Amino acid sequence: MTNLMTSIMGLLARGHIDRQTARELVDAVRPTAETKAHPRASEGIAVIGVAAQLPGAVTYDRFWDVLMAGEDRIEPAPARRRELCAPVLADADANPAFLNAAWLDDIDRFDAEFFGVTPADARIMAPQQRRFLQVAYHCLEDAGWAGRVRGTRTGVYVSATYDYPSDLMEMTPSGVPGVLPSFAASRLSFLLDLHGPAYVSNATCASSLLVLHEACLGLRNGDSDMALVGGVHLFSMPVASDSRLMDAAGIMSDDHRSRPFDHHGAGIGRGEGVVAVMLKPLERAVRDGDRIHTVIRGTAVNNDGASAMMTAPNPKAHTDLLLDAWRRAGVGPESLSYLETHGTGTALGDPIEIRGITDAVRHHTQRRQFIAAGSVKGNIGHLVDGAAGLSSFVKAMLVLRHGHVPPTVNLREPNRHIDFLESPLFVPTEPWNLRTDPERSEPLRAGVSCFGFNGTNVHVVLEEAPRRESESAGRPRGGRVRPLVFPMSARSWASLHALVGAHGGGSGAAHPRDLAFSLWIGREHHRYRVAILARDRAEFAETCRTLAEMDPAEWQDQSNVWVTDGPRADPDSPEATLAHQYVTGHEVRWRELFEAGPSPLLVDLPLYPFDENSFWLGDDQPKALDATDDTLTTLRAVVGQALGYETVNADDSFIGLGGTSLSAMQIQVALLRERGWRVDVADLLGAEDFMELASIIDAAANHRAAPSSMDDHESER
């Protein structure tokens, strides 16, 4: 570089070139600020895991069916949701007006035991936090990291909005983290011992795409080695007054329905959803054999600045945002196949967004109508602060995966303030195939925009995942000489039974060796376990179907099945020995199964079926204590009330029931108030069971009641 500069200056000094030519040559060879500051395309971020619950779809994969069918999921509040509002509305209007929205089912249900949360704390915990925990765990499973993420430098970046009226319940020390949005990220880090950053951000509607941007920056800066990014938006209390702020701002449509790019679009509809994605630097993901869903090539963020008014979008800011994102990604708009727009269906927002896109593209090309565009808000409404950006992001992921653009819903008459014929965009109202050019060698690429009500704008550039080596290459098909060991586990027999049934439904086209490998490496191994010996995928699935029809207590009767606590004869083969070691909780050297032959691949597996119960307001009715109860009975009643259990057994332990130092202080106060007992927190936490703790309390009470030696001496005098 120094020699080139010297040569240019020499040519200028000798008069062989003029100053303008010299300046152009210097600019051409000097590294730009963007080159130094921003990673090039080869330094992308891989999305290695994804999980979502969105209206009409309990999983990420099923959301594609909603999109391709052109479903509009906006509907009146379900009867069950209205029932959940009863504790709050009991003293209010007898006929409250409820929102129309796109809904999730069963937001009151949660597997508290799986996450070590007591029933009492689960009732106080906002449903947004509960549902995010379950979706985040499914994301880790999808990534194949649920069984090996503990102790890693994994960051957790979340956007979440809470509206759960926890203040109507008796607040306890251990319940406080459940009502603070910041703990949606921190609780996951605590439960899984994650050591990267963990925080919640809010930038109104741009929040969830902003945390994705921040996670990418964190990975590039070395703040973490992996990142889990999530967003959640639920309506705990979906009464119509909940929309009063948006009504006042003039962005709610009269019928609560979004009509992106339609001339009659007059505001947003609203929806619920939970999304989580797992990120990792692309080079490392390829090296580690991770399953890659898509690649993030670049992200950018800016603000509208001084626009027409504080809440009005700024087309110049949108243009600058896109140009910055493309520059960071190392691509131009000519290589884009799809743009998932913010597309709210507002009279002001849609024309401004298209103008910003058009101006950005015109910096590169004058081509017209060559990029397909769409907006998920016609399907599921606007998921606002919690998950609007990530719902758009996963739609774009699915577009790249399937190579088709779903129809944009509720577009009947194009907005007359948008000149689509002169713009670079077209909006399909029927499914559109992106793979029509057999000569195309470049991967499909997409962009996702999200614009916050507060002026924050975020754009992400995506690229379809690199193709993996064929799963059948170099691998034997058909029957195997030796069986493989397929492990499955859960934290309850009910969940294990459901998991086995899910595997009985089939495992797609996965090679049996990949299937077994993914079960070993990609899943946590819990208390209740079963191991199946099978030579191929069909035998494994058939065994699972057989077990699904049986009570788990009968599973050990199957000759190729080993199960926790099931009596069996001594193992008669290396595979049977390994299965026996697994179900009895011993350390298993399972990697030896895969040392010979090609390296196995991570494949898609059924997700953990949570053993859920309902936790909601009004479920915690206190029970009066009986003054005649003995110490053990009283202790069990107080602990049961504090932790939310109907029954507490004498041989249970406080820690085993999910007790913490915070709930121990609560019980300490209750025992002093109800019985005058002074109980040490250390004794509550350290006692082996409640029988031992009752003995400690009785011994302390007897010691206080017994006369001291000084008292005896005084009485003798």
Side-chain angles (χ1 to χ4, degrees):
M1 179 64 67
T2 301
N3 291 338
L4 282 172
M5 291 293 187
T6 301
S7 298
I8 293 170
M9 293 300 104
L11 291 170
L12 176 63
R14 291 191 293 273
H16 295 308
I17 58 175
D18 58 22
R19 288 181 178 275
Q20 180 61 32
T21 302
R23 186 178 295 112
E24 291 174 355
L25 289 171
V26 168
D27 289 341
V29 300
R30 177 184 292 152
T32 65
E34 288 83 4
T35 301
K36 290 181 177 179
H38 306 313
R40 304 310 300 163
S42 60
E43 300 171 2
I45 302 295
V47 178
I48 63 171
V50 58
Q53 292 182 6
L54 292 162
V58 295
T59 66
Y60 164 73
D61 289 329
R62 292 185 185 178
F63 189 49
W64 183 244
D65 298 331
V66 172
L67 296 171
M68 287 299 282
E71 295 183 19
D72 177 352
R73 300 296 305 183
I74 302 294
E75 59 186 3
R80 174 58 179 160
R81 192 65 64 87
R82 297 175 185 228
E83 292 173 7
L84 293 175
C85 293
V88 174
L89 302 178
D91 299 325
D93 188 348
N95 296 298
F98 290 91
L99 291 173
N100 287 355
W103 308 95
L104 298 186
D105 295 329
D106 301 326
I107 68 166
D108 57 311
R109 301 189 67 79
F110 177 55
D111 191 341
E113 184 177 357
F114 184 92
F115 293 99
V117 177
T118 66
D121 287 348
R123 278 193 289 271
I124 295 174
M125 186 187 296
Q128 291 87 346
Q129 190 174 139
R130 300 183 218 147
R131 188 55 63 96
F132 170 70
L133 288 173
Q134 296 190 168
V135 172
Y137 189 81
H138 279 166
C139 179
L140 290 170
E141 286 198 318
D142 182 75
W145 276 89
R148 48 191 172 136
V149 75
R150 293 180 185 275
T152 61
R153 294 179 67 251
T154 297
V156 184
Y157 302 79
V158 180
S159 61
T161 55
Y162 286 11
D163 67 343
Y164 189 55
S166 303
D167 56 330
L168 298 180
M169 305 177 69
E170 181 180 355
M171 189 56 61
T172 64
S174 61
V176 170
V179 303
L180 299 177
S182 59
F183 277 87
S186 299
R187 189 185 291 272
L188 192 68
S189 292
F190 167 74
L191 291 171
L192 297 176
D193 189 27
L194 307 179
H195 297 280
Y199 59 84
V200 173
S201 291
N202 188 289
T204 60
C205 314
S207 300
S208 62
L209 213 60
L210 177 63
V211 292
L212 184 82
H213 167 78
E214 291 174 338
C216 291
L217 292 181
L219 290 170
R220 288 175 172 136
N221 293 338
D223 296 336
S224 57
D225 297 327
M226 296 186 292
L228 191 143
V229 180
V232 52
H233 183 70
L234 303 175
F235 302 112
S236 302
M237 296 291 146
V239 291
S241 61
D242 181 62
S243 64
R244 62 190 181 280
L245 292 179
M246 293 187 178
D247 287 336
I251 61 175
M252 280 293 294
S253 70
D254 291 339
D255 62 355
H256 297 183
R257 199 173 301 278
S258 295
R259 293 179 171 83
F261 313 119
D262 191 87
H263 185 67
H264 301 286
I268 67 169
R270 299 179 67 184
E272 299 182 311
V274 191
V275 180
V277 293
M278 188 82 171
L279 309 182
K280 192 175 187 180
L282 176 60
E283 183 178 353
R284 192 176 304 160
V286 172
R287 183 194 65 201
D288 293 347
D290 291 308
R291 191 164 60 109
I292 299 172
H293 290 278
T294 194
V295 177
I296 299 172
R297 282 300 176 194
T299 65
V301 61
N302 71 7
N303 192 273
D304 286 336
S307 54
M309 54 189 293
M310 187 184 299
T311 58
N314 183 340
K316 176 63 165 58
H318 294 181
T319 296
D320 292 343
L321 176 78
L322 295 175
L323 291 172
D324 191 19
W326 297 337
R327 183 168 58 248
R328 292 173 184 231
V331 304
E334 301 93 335
S335 71
L336 297 178
S337 300
Y338 178 68
L339 269 178
E340 174 65 17
T341 66
H342 190 55
T344 55
T346 56
L348 177 66
D350 286 0
I352 287 179
E353 180 173 9
I354 301 304
R355 176 182 162 191
I357 294 170
T358 301
D359 290 347
V361 173
R362 293 294 172 252
H363 279 72
H364 291 260
T365 178
Q366 297 299 313
R367 291 177 62 190
R368 298 178 177 86
Q369 293 196 310
F370 68 98
I371 304 173
S375 172
V376 75
K377 294 176 180 65
N379 302 98
I380 60 174
H382 196 336
L383 275 57
V384 292
D385 299 17
L390 283 178
S391 63
S392 296
F393 182 79
V394 295
K395 177 189 172 183
M397 285 178 58
L398 287 164
V399 167
L400 294 180
R401 171 179 163 182
H402 293 279
H404 284 78
V405 176
T408 288
V409 176
N410 294 328
L411 174 53
R412 303 286 184 267
E413 179 185 348
N415 190 313
R416 296 171 195 167
H417 300 292
I418 301 174
D419 188 352
F420 280 110
L421 293 178
E422 292 298 318
S423 84
L425 306 179
F426 65 96
V427 183
T429 55
E430 298 290 336
W432 182 268
N433 185 4
L434 294 177
R435 302 190 192 277
T436 56
D437 183 3
E439 302 295 322
R440 182 185 178 104
S441 58
E442 280 191 308
L444 295 178
R445 295 194 181 101
V448 181
S449 290
C450 199
F451 306 141
F453 189 51
N454 70 338
T456 300
N457 309 306
V458 187
H459 189 79
V460 177
V461 179
L462 301 177
E463 183 176 285
E464 67 177 320
R467 296 186 181 278
R468 296 200 298 175
E469 176 189 352
S470 172
E471 296 183 9
S472 60
R475 297 161 186 232
R477 304 300 292 184
R480 292 178 51 86
V481 176
R482 304 293 306 178
L484 285 165
V485 182
F486 297 86
M488 289 173 283
S489 70
R491 295 196 180 183
S492 71
W493 283 116
S495 288
L496 183 56
H497 192 269
L499 182 61
V500 168
H503 278 280
S507 304
H511 191 281
R513 195 164 180 270
D514 295 337
L515 181 58
F517 172 78
S518 299
L519 284 168
W520 280 110
I521 197 172
R523 294 295 186 262
E524 274 198 290
H525 300 294
H526 305 293
R527 162 72 177 84
Y528 301 100
R529 303 180 176 189
V530 61
I532 296 173
L533 274 59
R535 288 176 171 79
D536 54 37
R537 190 176 66 250
E539 183 182 0
F540 169 66
E542 180 58 35
T543 301
C544 287
R545 286 192 289 270
T546 299
L547 298 183
E549 298 296 324
M550 302 169 61
D551 187 282
E554 303 171 329
W555 286 356
Q556 71 270 9
D557 296 336
Q558 303 297 304
S559 60
N560 64 331
V561 175
W562 298 77
V563 62
T564 298
D565 301 331
R568 287 295 300 267
D570 292 337
D572 57 1
S573 69
E575 293 82 11
T577 298
L578 189 146
H580 175 72
Q581 291 172 341
Y582 175 71
V583 301
T584 53
H586 291 82
E587 183 177 350
V588 178
R589 299 171 65 179
W590 59 266
R591 291 183 183 272
E592 295 178 358
L593 293 171
F594 306 97
E595 289 177 349
S599 298
L601 299 177
L602 278 169
V603 296
D604 193 28
L605 298 173
L607 300 172
Y608 187 92
F610 290 108
D611 190 3
E612 298 175 334
N613 290 287
S614 177
F615 299 99
W616 206 253
L617 297 167
D619 294 340
D620 58 337
Q621 302 302 321
K623 298 176 182 178
L625 297 177
D626 190 333
T628 64
D629 285 343
D630 60 19
T631 303
L632 180 58
T633 303
T634 299
L635 183 61
R636 290 163 57 195
V638 170
V639 170
Q641 183 67 43
L643 301 187
Y645 291 104
E646 287 288 333
T647 303
V648 172
N649 298 316
D651 58 354
D652 286 334
S653 70
F654 181 69
I655 294 294
L657 292 176
T660 65
S661 58
L662 292 175
S663 52
M665 289 189 289
Q666 176 189 349
I667 291 169
Q668 182 187 45
V669 171
L671 291 174
L672 181 62
R673 181 183 65 242
E674 298 292 339
R675 290 291 187 269
W677 298 341
R678 298 184 182 277
V679 180
D680 236 335
V681 168
D683 290 333
L684 266 168
L685 297 172
E688 184 175 335
D689 53 34
F690 290 114
M691 290 185 290
E692 179 182 343
L693 184 57
S695 298
I696 293 171
I697 293 172
D698 286 338
N702 292 335
H703 177 74
R704 287 193 295 270
S708 66
S709 57
M710 174 106 25
D711 292 336
D712 293 342
H713 182 66
E714 289 295 326
S715 63
E716 290 174 3
R717 294 179 60 186

